[in-house]
């Protein structure tokens, strides 16, 4: 039987790499460990947005000299990263110059390897868990969130793999956002059992939880190295080990660590943080509609309220809520409360997700209604597809459902994002040059999808809208000043600007 | 027929004053105006927590020289204030020394009069509306908020009284928190019609809205004079007049004014501000219960999250949500959206009030359960009855339902509050000396009702709990440090401290 060869596409270079069928990478790992002898070995599980950056931070530790092995599964969407790292090419293109810098420094030192071989775990003094833990949502953006589930299967499997390979006295630090209760009720038993099966000491390993607050934007590295951290340990020795380790990679002098009493507490803290943001956005959504009915500008109103120090963090709805965390973390928490603690659902937090999931639909409906409803054949330029300003992350971006609605109406859609050349989820090439996009002709509608800096009060954009007849702007994010909006409104054509958050 | 004489009790002095039956106060008003000739006259409608302080700020205007007449109805709960002011005694005892200072300065200048006679409106260049506008809630704290209504009747009547007496070119500034839409849809038509009836120009008056952010605590005066203000006008001339006036009484150089496009916008801003707070508290309530189930300390968790600049304002539930604004403003808004704009309810904001209204019950149930349920005959000391730390305001304090639950169980309740000598809503005398309270013996339970500064890590209190057998502390507010809690737990008796927000 001939196995069909499977490839992994590197979206940065366009290259296709055959995924190896022989998964024995032990020679490379042994060589790496030998070359880095005397250095403690850190294995980072998961080479996603967090794991890759965390690997770089560890390989460039401020108070330590580590050898770092990043590990991920040999799959089409991950293998290219392993290949890229080992070929000496940074797998992330970020506006944060430190990413490239840290990668090159690690390359020079030779202390960063990537692999798919679980053999790596056997070499680890410290294992950092940075894999995904997803929520399965029965939501299609068009109707209410009807139900959701959390499949712990893949996460449990990843923990088993660690337990089957790790040293008995390893330090495991979970950075993944997990349902509260997971370290105590899931990770600890799995590792304990696996070690017992291997006839190893089952009470020598250390297990800590310390969640990340990574923002893959201009402060990507700093969001790990130079930011506040919360941590906890499953027992006193784990607490000490976790703290000692964190002090070697994080600037704890400027950003003191916060120790919480147990792993449930830090796990709750993480999902509570994100649920708080999700709730604040959901809350203002209702009010933005009320404001619209009353002829009030919700942007103006919120800016006035933000003058109060106690109200600085009141949020705006924009086109919707995206990113990997906010659309799922409230649900992770509610699931955990029900399934790991036999408690009630977190009703308000679930409601927040429900409201936020509907935002792109509301934004689209507002747009379609205000512009007469006949959208077929219209040429629409969407500026920005990332889920947040100045990041290149498109996971769960609210622009995706908005794009889908326009597509369904038969619009011709042109996409621009200065930071996203390839939109992975939609498998679309995207123009990154703003100049080229502004030269496009016959555009009917411009929609601000993401509040990237480059769009904020861009005079070229203001000029285009003001001087061209029959071109309209929809700005649900609010990237233009009153003055610029007035300029555009006074330009050729009738009312040319809509939105400013009143969606 | 002999009318029965009605009295008004001054809670500060204990004096009872007969309410005059002849309500003609015109001579005093004329004398006052004559004595203050050349000074523009400001009439402040309503001598409550806001109106009295606003009167003092106007009488001591930083950029103006005004004569101020405070007006209220001649009722048992208000007349004593009128009498007190005209007798030269400040009707407010506040921790803010500026209150007394401003009152004495006005007394010396002779530019502050109080009255019950609507004749005063006829003298006013500026009228400031500071009366209450209440929500009628069908809620008894024990069950869900089942419905609510807003009776605009008294407010409309107050506006009519102004319209029947005011000059045709008066400036009216509404400071009252009103259902959004009120200035446009209620005040303007009433004043216009009243002026027309009097054959006066009906388009010369100016109407502005500028809501207060008064906190009757240690910065009582500063919360008016030295704080940010939002304002709007019903038309351009009203906008200008309102702004010009505000610049004479508020430090607008340090605290720039924010002008919004119309009165609906500022009216929304006010209720949105308060709904935002109410929502944040309701949100955390659910999580504090989850934390409790998971053995996590919600205080510890929230403090960890507050390290993030974007999460500084995440709140804690305490014993409940009180004060005049937060329990009603989300409902005012929802009512307005439905009744003045034919819109949908503000569901999430209503839900927040519902959740918050239940907090005192949860706090009580937690307390009763943890301490065995048998509360009859127990001696309970409640420390603090005001609705918030370091204010003397008891309106809608969550301590009231908590007190009622204890009362129903047959507890003997002792009350202390350093700032409240008389609890108006419960008609109860309250001990204000902390030393005297600490000397009380045979106390079974101490409950922290309000987070006054005097209680925070009070060593006398810690000592009392630590050294006495069979005395227990319930601290739903979290006024003690970990260290002090440990001290108390280590004292005589078994577990002595409960709460810290896990209610």
């Amino acid at each position: 039987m001939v196995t069909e060869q499977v490839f992994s596409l590197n979206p940065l270079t366009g290259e296709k790499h055959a995924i190896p069928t022989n998964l024995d990478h032990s020679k490379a790992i042994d060589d790496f460990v030998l070359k880095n002898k005397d250095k403690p070995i850190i294995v980072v599980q998961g080479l996603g947005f967090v794991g890759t950056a965390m690997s770089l931070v560890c390989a460039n530790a401020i108070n330590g000299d580590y050898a770092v092995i990043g590990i991920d599964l040999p799959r089409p969407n991950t293998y290219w990263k392993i290949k890229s790292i080992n070929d000496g090419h940074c797998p992330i293109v970020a506006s944060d110059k430190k990413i490239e810098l840290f990668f090159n420094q690690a390359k020079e030192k030779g202390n960063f390897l990537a692999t798919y071989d679980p053999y790596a775990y056997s070499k680890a003094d410290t294992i950092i868990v940075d894999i995904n833990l997803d929520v399965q949502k029965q939501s299609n953006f068009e109707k209410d969130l009807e139900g959701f589930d959390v499949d712990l299967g893949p996460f449990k499997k990843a923990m088993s793999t660690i337990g089957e390979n790790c040293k008995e006295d390893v330090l495991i630090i979970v950075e993944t956002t997990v349902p509260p209760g997971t370290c105590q009720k899931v990770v600890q038993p799995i590792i304990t059992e696996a070690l017992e099966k291997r006839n190893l000491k089952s009470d020598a390993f250390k297990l800590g939880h310390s969640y990340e607050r990574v923002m893959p934007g201009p402060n990507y590295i700093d969001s790990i190295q130079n930011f506040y951290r919360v941590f906890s340990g499953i027992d006193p020795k784990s607490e000490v080990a976790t703290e000692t380790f964190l002090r070697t990679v994080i600037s704890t002098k400027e950003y003191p660590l916060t120790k919480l009493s147990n792993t449930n507490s830090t796990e709750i803290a993480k999902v509570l943080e994100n649920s708080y943001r999700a709730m604040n956005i959901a809350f203002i959504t209702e009010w933005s509609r009320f404001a619209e009915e009353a002829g009030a500008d919700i942007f103006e109103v919120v800016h006035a309220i933000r003058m109060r120090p106690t109200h600085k963090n009141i949020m705006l709805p924009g086109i919707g809520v995206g990113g990997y965390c906010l659309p799922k973390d409230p649900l992770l928490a509610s699931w955990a409360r029900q399934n790991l603690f036999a408690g009630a659902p977190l009703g308000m937090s679930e409601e927040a997700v429900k409201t936020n999931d509907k935002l792109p639909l509301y934004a689209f409906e507002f747009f379609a209604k205000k512009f007469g409803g006949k959208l077929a054949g219209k040429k629409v330029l969407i500026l920005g597809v990332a889920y947040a300003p100045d990041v290149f992350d498109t996971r769960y971006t609210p622009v995706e459902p908005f794009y889908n609605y326009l597509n369904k109406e038969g619009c011709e859609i042109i996409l621009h994002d200065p930071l996203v050349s390839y939109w992975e989820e939609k498998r679309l090439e995207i123009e990154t040059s703003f100049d080229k996009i502004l030269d496009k002709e016959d555009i009917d509608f411009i929609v601000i999808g993401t509040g990237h800096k480059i769009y904020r009060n861009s005079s070229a954009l203001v000029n285009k809208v003001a001087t061209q007849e029959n071109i309209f702007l929809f700005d649900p994010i609010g990237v233009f000043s009153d003055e610029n909006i007035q300029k555009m409104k006074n330009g050729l054509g009738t009312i040319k600007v809509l939105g400013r958050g009143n969606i």
Side-chain angles (χ1 to χ4, degrees), chain A:
Chain A
M1 203 185 96
V2 182
T3 317
E4 204 192 332
Q5 195 148 36
V6 182
F7 291 90
S8 173
L9 173 77
N10 181 334
L12 303 177
T13 62
E15 283 173 285
K16 279 172 80 182
H17 304 288
I19 295 176
T21 44
N22 172 10
L23 294 177
D24 183 349
H25 204 217
S26 58
K27 169 118 199 352
I29 292 168
D30 284 335
D31 286 353
F32 176 78
V33 171
L34 191 68
K35 214 182 81 185
N36 285 283
K37 69 175 172 1
D38 306 332
K39 290 184 189 168
I41 306 286
I42 298 173
V43 171
V44 177
Q45 186 184 44
L47 285 170
F49 284 87
V50 176
T52 307
M54 186 63 186
S55 298
L56 293 176
V57 168
C58 290
N60 294 274
I62 49 168
N63 286 314
D65 193 6
Y66 296 116
V68 179
I69 307 177
I71 186 164
D72 214 323
L73 300 171
R75 292 202 176 143
N77 62 338
T78 48
Y79 174 69
W80 67 269
K81 289 186 211 170
I82 296 166
K83 172 94 177 114
S84 177
I85 291 167
N86 292 341
D87 285 352
H89 305 299
C90 186
I92 302 173
V93 177
S95 58
D96 181 8
K97 294 279 164 286
K98 281 192 187 173
I99 288 279
E100 188 77 29
L101 178 72
F102 276 34
F103 185 84
N104 289 336
Q105 284 173 359
K107 190 167 135 184
E108 209 161 290
K109 287 195 275 178
N111 71 337
F112 183 24
L113 180 79
T115 190
Y116 37 78
D117 186 348
Y119 173 67
Y121 295 119
S122 68
K123 302 294 172 191
D125 300 293
T126 301
I127 296 170
I128 301 172
V129 176
D130 279 328
I131 54 174
N132 285 352
L133 201 164
D134 293 323
V135 171
Q136 290 75 47
K137 279 159 87 169
Q138 285 153 38
S139 164
N140 62 1
F141 291 108
E142 297 196 29
K143 47 183 186 171
D144 280 357
L145 172 73
E146 275 169 11
F148 64 91
D149 203 3
V150 175
D151 176 10
L152 281 183
F155 183 84
K156 283 181 175 170
K157 192 157 185 302
M159 294 308 106
S160 295
T161 308
I162 292 176
E164 288 153 12
N165 292 281
C166 69
K167 295 184 195 171
E168 64 184 8
D169 64 346
V170 69
L171 164 64
I172 302 169
I173 298 179
V174 176
E175 286 201 315
T176 299
T177 303
V178 293
T182 296
C183 280
Q184 260 185 28
K185 293 169 189 254
V186 179
V187 183
Q188 190 180 29
I190 288 177
I191 304 293
T192 305
E193 201 191 336
L195 290 170
E196 276 167 3
K197 260 195 197 159
R198 292 165 61 203
N199 293 314
L200 293 172
K201 269 200 279 182
S202 66
D203 59 356
F205 77 93
K206 286 135 317 196
L207 172 58
H209 181 254
S210 180
Y211 59 87
E212 47 77 24
R213 284 156 163 169
V214 170
M215 279 298 292
N219 305 310
Y220 201 167
I221 289 290
D222 281 345
S223 69
I224 299 174
Q225 198 179 53
N226 290 299
F227 204 55
Y228 299 102
R229 268 277 176 159
V230 178
F231 77 97
S232 61
I234 207 87
D235 51 28
K237 72 175 185 308
S238 300
E239 212 173 81
V240 170
T242 305
E243 176 164 1
T244 305
F245 173 77
L246 290 174
R247 288 197 185 285
T248 64
V249 294
I250 293 168
S251 308
T252 53
K253 216 168 155 185
E254 294 82 3
Y255 299 91
L257 297 172
T258 306
K259 180 170 78 182
L260 298 190
S261 301
N262 50 52
T263 52
N264 289 352
S265 297
T266 51
E267 289 164 342
I268 285 180
K270 171 64 183 187
V271 283
L272 175 51
E273 265 185 41
N274 284 333
S275 299
Y276 171 72
R277 300 286 272 185
M279 172 58 96
N280 270 298
I281 297 168
F283 165 74
I284 206 71
T285 300
E286 207 169 65
W287 285 81
S288 72
R289 250 160 265 145
F290 180 24
E292 188 189 311
E293 291 156 15
D297 179 341
I298 191 74
F299 271 60
E300 196 188 78
V301 170
V302 166
H303 286 312
I305 293 174
R306 280 188 183 154
M307 298 290 275
R308 293 188 71 170
T310 48
H311 289 65
K312 275 225 173 324
N313 302 337
I314 188 165
M315 298 186 80
L316 282 161
I319 201 172
V321 178
Y324 183 62
C325 303
L326 267 55
K328 75 162 174 58
D329 286 0
L331 304 180
L332 266 190
S334 191
W335 182 89
R337 191 180 182 201
Q338 294 168 79
N339 292 282
L340 302 181
F341 295 95
L346 291 162
M348 292 185 86
S349 299
E350 284 191 20
E351 197 61 37
V353 175
K354 203 184 271 187
T355 302
N356 293 342
D357 278 357
K358 272 182 166 171
L359 277 173
L361 176 65
Y362 285 126
F364 169 75
E365 281 176 347
F366 178 89
F367 168 76
K369 198 174 143 194
K370 292 284 178 179
F371 288 121
K374 280 178 195 153
L375 295 173
K378 297 287 186 193
K379 210 164 174 175
V380 183
L381 168 60
I382 300 182
L383 294 174
V385 301
Y387 86 87
D390 303 313
V391 305
F392 58 89
D393 188 350
T394 54
R395 288 173 301 169
Y396 302 102
T397 171
V399 182
E400 189 175 338
F402 195 86
Y403 171 94
N404 293 342
Y405 297 130
L406 288 176
N407 212 16
K408 221 167 132 185
E409 294 290 322
C411 294
E412 182 188 335
I413 308 165
I414 304 165
L415 298 168
H416 175 263
D417 195 301
L419 300 171
V420 184
S421 57
Y422 181 74
W423 188 355
E424 213 178 301
E425 292 79 8
K426 298 295 300 178
R427 291 167 191 263
L428 285 169
E429 303 278 339
I430 290 181
E431 179 59 62
T432 56
S433 156
F434 197 35
D435 289 341
K436 277 192 196 163
I437 276 291
L438 287 170
D439 283 345
K440 298 254 180 209
E441 285 178 5
D442 305 324
I443 287 169
D444 296 299
F445 299 114
I446 298 176
V447 177
I448 307 290
T450 313
H452 290 311
K453 216 161 121 192
I454 195 175
Y455 307 140
R456 296 203 172 265
N457 290 307
S458 149
S459 51
L461 197 54
V462 170
N463 199 45
K464 188 176 178 75
V465 176
T467 57
Q468 205 167 307
E469 258 184 273
N470 297 321
I471 186 167
F472 296 92
L473 178 79
F474 178 46
D475 174 17
I477 317 274
V479 303
F480 295 103
S481 66
D482 288 342
E483 200 192 336
N484 277 326
I485 283 183
Q486 214 42 57
K487 254 190 218 162
M488 292 186 273
K489 282 191 174 172
N490 291 344
L492 298 171
T494 52
I495 299 167
K496 302 190 117 187
V497 188
L498 273 176
R500 299 203 68 201
N502 279 344
I503 57 169

